[in-house]
Amino acid sequence: MALNLTLPLRIAQALFALIMLGLTGYVAHWWSGWYHAYSPSQINFLLFTAIWTVIALLYLTLAPWKLPSAAHKFAILAVEALTMLFWFAGWVALAVFLSNRVCFGHVCDAAKAAAVFGAFE
């Protein structure tokens, strides 16, 4: 009997995406309130990536289950690969952005945690 770990991995993926949504949302909100300007593109991209992941997870979990005709193996592979690429690019960009900044306080901790959770995702 084969052990299917897809659902637990999807749940972990969703949990990390929601954590990232909260962290990057907090940093973006703080940045726009403190500096009265748009938040950095690195934060905005990771915010987009978290939202994209939630939408992609809906497709990746519901399509094979409810709409098998929409769950083509190459479509699933494409969504997985695109999501992976987004996360990789996002956390690397945020880590580079944070590496040469003077950073302190709760918002700095949230941004650093976002970089770590982005790497895990």
Side-chain angles (χ1 to χ4, degrees):
M1 178 164 83
L3 182 64
N4 190 354
L5 294 176
T6 304
L7 188 59
L9 288 175
R10 297 286 182 230
I11 292 170
Q13 220 175 355
L15 181 65
F16 283 159
L18 291 175
I19 289 170
M20 285 296 295
L21 195 59
L23 288 171
T24 55
Y26 169 69
V27 173
H29 176 72
W30 180 89
W31 193 281
S32 63
W34 180 261
Y35 290 113
H36 302 290
Y38 292 117
S39 55
S41 60
Q42 295 86 348
I43 293 294
N44 294 339
F45 183 72
L46 277 175
L47 188 60
F48 158 77
T49 303
I51 295 168
W52 165 267
T53 301
V54 170
I55 295 168
L57 284 173
L58 287 174
Y59 169 73
L60 291 170
T61 55
L62 294 179
W65 182 38
K66 293 289 186 181
L67 298 167
S69 61
H72 193 271
K73 63 181 178 182
F74 292 127
I76 290 175
L77 178 65
V79 171
E80 287 276 13
L82 191 59
T83 304
M84 180 199 61
L85 225 93
F86 284 164
W87 280 112
F88 183 75
W91 81 263
V92 168
L94 183 60
V96 169
F97 175 75
L98 291 174
S99 69
N100 60 0
R101 294 194 63 83
V102 175
C103 187
F104 55 89
H106 293 296
V107 72
C108 180
D109 295 339
K112 288 178 181 178
V116 171
F117 276 105
F120 284 148
E121 183 76 41

